[in-house]
Amino acid sequence: MPIPSAPLSRPGTVVRVKAPERNGSSPVHSVSVVVPVYRGEETIAALVAELDRLTGPTTTAAGARFAVEEVILVHDNGPDRSDVVLRELEGSFPQVRAVWLSRNFGQDAATIAGMAAAQGDWIVTMDEDGQHDPAFIADFLDAALASRADLVYSKPSNTRPHGFLRNLTSRGAKLVLATVFAFPDSTRFESFRLIRGDIGRQLAEVAANGVYLDVALTWVVGNAVSAPVVLRAEGREESGYNYRRLFSLFWKMVLCSGTRGLRLVSMLGVTLALAGVIMAAVVIVEALTQDNSDPEGWASIIVVMLLCSGAMLFSLGLIAEYLGVALHILVGKPLYLTVQSPTPRPDTMHAPAVHHRVDAAVPAAATEEGLRA
């Protein structure tokens, strides 16, 4: 079934659908939804269809009114044909606007690129895979207005729709950041969030290479709250994140969270120095009190050498990582680069458009079977 028809707009044209207001009624908060798209060929159309139902004024449980005035889809050059689908959606839905990146820059950079292009009073960021339900945008807005917060994070109330090992490692990584690296805010970081529009846009303008979006938000947001959500199963069989990419994100958070890592290196050096002094004292005492000329303790010496050399190499590697981040900023390496259009595909120059089904009320991920998956 083809994508539902809608008034066409030229690619790259921003269509502002301003929601009407009645005299004496509460103002309508305009919302820009930013979705980084890496492997969204099979899922992004259903998500856009859900968001399309929120383009008219919608009243929240607390009486606030909002409308999704634009949906910004940031193409992050994934391995599938997401660019073809994004072009179709941009032509079929007037509120959809595609942002094209020159290459794959990662989820954070793609999200920041979308935030820079957003124009709404509020910016909502969400994933492409269907596990984030747009219906919770109303709850986010109520939480923000009730607490006078500039940032609202989703707080999953159900088990994440991932494997046990991935959930365990993700939770463990956040706890390590919160305890070892003294960054307690990391425990509530989520990619489904609501940000005040002017803060999101200005942060996107100053964000440098190597920045981790959630860490950067802690620098500029004074009051952040959380709102409960129910996560749905992903609309595809394989997740877009493997363990290597997840570790890369964790390490990026470590480097971006401050100089706590360097302080830990200093503490490690002091600890090893004190242990060396104690061991030297023990050796001297034994030499003075024991009449034994046999060479002993070779195993202990080897162990100490391995521990010390390993600690030194780890420390040098961590320092080098910090220097690498600083070097990228000094030489002007961009966080992202946008282009006018995606790289042309020879097979789509004259081929008919490939339509994707979006006729379901919600994606398959939203069914009860998907929630139990």
Side-chain angles (χ1 to χ4, degrees), residues 74-77 99-106 109-110 112-113 209 332-341:
V74 186
H75 181 246
D76 199 23
N77 287 266
V99 173
W100 310 102
L101 299 185
S102 61
R103 67 168 179 82
N104 175 250
F105 288 93
I112 293 173
N209 183 272
K333 182 179 180 181
L335 176 62
Y336 62 87
L337 185 69
T338 60
V339 292
Q340 294 295 322
S341 61

Side-chain angles (χ1 to χ4, degrees), residues 169-217:
T169 53
S170 177
R171 182 63 180 170
K174 291 182 178 181
L175 289 176
V176 169
L177 271 174
T179 55
V180 177
F181 292 93
F183 200 70
D185 291 333
S186 63
T187 56
R188 61 182 179 185
F189 287 170
E190 296 288 341
S191 58
F192 193 17
R193 46 173 109 76
L194 173 79
I195 311 166
R196 205 175 84 188
D198 51 353
I199 291 180
R201 283 185 289 272
Q202 293 189 60
L203 178 62
E205 291 178 2
V206 301
N209 183 272
V211 70
Y212 193 89
L213 176 56
D214 290 306
V215 175
L217 286 170

Side-chain angles (χ1 to χ4, degrees), residues 131 156-164 167 229-233 370-373:
Q131 67 174 322
S157 57
N158 60 326
T159 303
R160 296 176 184 275
H162 306 302
F164 172 77
N167 288 337
V229 303
V230 177
L231 295 180
R232 309 183 296 201
L371 289 176
R372 290 196 297 266

Side-chain angles (χ1 to χ4, degrees), residues 59-253:
T59 303
T60 68
R65 301 170 69 223
F66 75 94
V68 174
E69 293 192 357
E70 58 180 357
V71 178
I72 300 175
L73 307 178
V74 186
H75 181 246
D76 199 23
N77 287 266
D80 61 358
R81 297 170 61 87
S82 295
D83 55 323
V84 177
V85 180
L86 262 58
R87 279 202 176 279
E88 294 179 4
L89 294 172
E90 192 178 31
S92 300
F93 293 90
Q95 72 275 15
V96 170
R97 178 154 52 110
V99 173
W100 310 102
L101 299 185
S102 61
R103 67 168 179 82
N104 175 250
F105 288 93
Q107 182 179 17
D108 261 14
T111 303
I112 293 173
M115 289 167 52
Q119 302 178 26
D121 300 327
W122 299 91
I123 298 173
V124 171
T125 65
M126 57 194 309
D127 291 348
E128 66 190 11
D129 52 20
Q131 67 174 322
H132 296 157
D133 189 346
F136 288 105
I137 294 176
D139 297 340
F140 288 177
L141 185 58
D142 280 344
L145 297 177
S147 304
R148 297 189 64 190
D150 297 320
L151 173 63
V152 179
Y153 279 112
S154 60
K155 185 177 182 180
S157 57
N158 60 326
T159 303
R160 296 176 184 275
H162 306 302
F164 172 77
L165 182 59
R166 176 173 168 181
N167 288 337
L168 181 64
T169 53
S170 177
R171 182 63 180 170
K174 291 182 178 181
L175 289 176
V176 169
L177 271 174
T179 55
V180 177
F181 292 93
F183 200 70
D185 291 333
S186 63
T187 56
R188 61 182 179 185
F189 287 170
E190 296 288 341
S191 58
F192 193 17
R193 46 173 109 76
L194 173 79
I195 311 166
R196 205 175 84 188
D198 51 353
I199 291 180
R201 283 185 289 272
Q202 293 189 60
L203 178 62
E205 291 178 2
V206 301
N209 183 272
V211 70
Y212 193 89
L213 176 56
D214 290 306
V215 175
L217 286 170
T218 65
W219 301 338
V220 298
V221 172
N223 186 20
V225 297
S226 297
V229 303
V230 177
L231 295 180
R232 309 183 296 201
E234 294 185 12
R236 58 193 179 202
E237 296 182 0
E238 183 181 355
S239 172
Y241 282 94
N242 53 34
Y243 288 102
R244 182 186 63 81
R245 293 188 67 189
L246 290 173
F247 178 77
S248 177
L249 287 175
F250 165 74
W251 194 242
K252 187 177 180 180
M253 275 196 290

